[in-house]
């Protein structure tokens, strides 16, 4: 009996070690993903993205969209604010019925948006802040042209046949039709529950 218990404990410890290795990989990749974003290395970001999304949108189209938003825009400039590396958190590793492994990586995202052609008075500031709040963001104006935004963000980590059993990533965004068309229903349900709990904890810690 003791021998069987030792074998059982050994197998369990091996399983937990494997999970920890996956979580470590996801944590490292999540930090790298944000670093690539800050460096505007869109090719690197695309390489880390789950391939299913490129069945819906061409890679170069996605890269061009990033460039237009963050580089070639004469209306505003967006800057990603450095994120504290210790604030990244990774969930347990889950597995679907068809053996897709998945997990969630969360972090506080902060950005600055500077408007190049417009200054905001108090009424316009109030309107913009209301729009940001409706998108789940905390926001404040630093001055009449620069808006600072923050949001608890989450990345989905997926490991399946289409990724050759490596970890690839998608930004959690229920409002995005591409996200809805790609992510398995089981994962969507779990992601929604996990993200809601994150927001609840965030609000509790703020009070």
């Amino acid at each position: 009996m003791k021998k069987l218990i030792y074998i059982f404990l050994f197998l369990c410890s091996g399983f937990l070690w494997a999970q920890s290795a996956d979580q470590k990989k996801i944590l490292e990749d999540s930090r790298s993903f944000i670093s690539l974003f800050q460096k505007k290395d869109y090719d690197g970001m695309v390489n880390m993205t789950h391939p299913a999304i490129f069945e819906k949108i061409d890679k170069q189209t996605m890269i061009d969209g990033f460039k237009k938003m963050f580089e070639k825009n004469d209306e505003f400039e967006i800057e990603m604010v450095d994120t504290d590396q210790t604030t990244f958190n990774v969930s347990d590793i889950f597995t679907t019925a068809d053996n897709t492994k998945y997990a969630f990586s969360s972090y506080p995202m902060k950005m600055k948006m500077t408007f190049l052609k417009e200054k905001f008075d108090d009424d316009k500031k109030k309107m913009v802040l209301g729009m940001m709040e409706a998108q789940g963001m905390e926001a404040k104006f630093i001055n009449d042209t620069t808006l600072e935004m923050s949001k608890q963000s989450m990345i989905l980590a997926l490991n399946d046949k289409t990724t050759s059993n490596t970890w690839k990533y998608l930004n959690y965004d229920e409002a995005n039709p591409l996200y809805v068309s790609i992510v398995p229903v089981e994962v969507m349900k779990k992601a929604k529950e996990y993200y809601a709990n994150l927001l609840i904890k965030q609000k509790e810690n703020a009070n």
Side-chain angles (χ1 to χ4, degrees):
M1 177 62 71
K2 286 184 177 179
K3 186 175 181 180
L4 288 174
I5 291 174
Y6 288 143
I7 293 172
F8 174 76
L9 292 174
F10 175 78
L11 292 173
C12 284
S13 65
F15 177 69
L16 291 173
W17 178 86
Q19 280 195 322
S20 297
D22 276 336
Q23 289 172 318
K24 183 178 180 181
K25 172 63 175 170
I26 294 168
L27 184 61
E28 290 174 350
D29 283 352
S30 300
R31 290 169 174 168
S32 295
F33 196 85
I34 300 305
S35 178
L36 291 171
F37 201 169
Q38 290 174 313
K39 295 174 183 176
K40 297 182 172 60
D41 184 350
Y42 307 124
D43 289 307
M45 291 170 61
V46 164
N47 289 336
M48 296 181 70
T49 300
H50 194 282
I53 198 167
F54 302 118
E55 296 175 6
K56 309 288 183 178
I57 183 172
D58 179 70
K59 286 185 180 182
Q60 191 57 50
T61 300
M62 179 179 285
I63 291 172
D64 291 344
F66 281 132
K67 288 181 178 179
K68 185 176 181 180
M69 178 66 70
F70 297 104
E71 293 180 19
K72 299 177 180 178
N73 192 314
D74 58 2
E75 297 292 332
F76 55 81
E77 292 178 348
I78 296 179
E79 174 190 356
M80 180 75 76
V81 179
D82 285 339
T83 301
D84 184 353
Q85 297 288 295
T86 64
T87 59
F88 284 76
N89 288 293
V90 178
S91 71
D92 292 335
I93 307 296
F94 306 102
T95 305
T96 66
D98 63 356
N99 291 321
T100 294
K101 292 198 296 183
Y102 66 98
F104 313 115
S105 178
S106 58
Y107 62 95
M109 180 191 70
K110 292 184 179 181
M111 295 188 297
K112 286 182 182 178
M113 177 181 284
T114 301
F115 296 90
L116 304 176
K117 293 183 176 180
E118 187 173 7
K119 289 187 177 181
F120 291 80
D121 58 23
D122 288 344
D123 288 339
K124 287 184 177 180
K125 286 179 182 178
K126 185 177 180 180
M127 179 188 70
V128 171
L129 293 178
M131 292 170 59
M132 293 297 104
E133 185 177 350
Q135 296 297 317
M137 291 188 173
E138 295 182 6
K140 65 179 181 181
F141 275 91
I142 298 174
N143 52 46
D144 291 341
T145 59
T146 303
L147 180 68
E148 187 174 76
M149 302 168 287
S150 63
K151 182 178 182 180
Q152 184 65 36
S153 295
M154 190 169 82
I155 297 173
L156 272 66
L158 296 164
N159 183 318
D160 55 31
K161 291 179 180 178
T162 65
T163 67
S164 299
N165 299 119
T166 60
W167 289 103
K168 296 293 182 179
Y169 304 91
L170 290 171
N171 190 50
Y172 173 71
D173 184 3
E174 279 194 336
N176 189 330
L178 287 178
Y179 168 87
V180 175
S181 67
I182 291 169
V183 179
V185 172
E186 178 181 340
V187 180
M188 286 177 60
K189 289 180 177 179
K190 192 75 173 181
K192 186 173 184 177
E193 177 187 2
Y194 188 86
Y195 187 70
N197 287 333
L198 277 179
L199 296 183
I200 290 170
K201 289 179 182 178
Q202 183 183 48
K203 192 168 184 178
E204 288 175 344
N205 292 335
N207 293 334

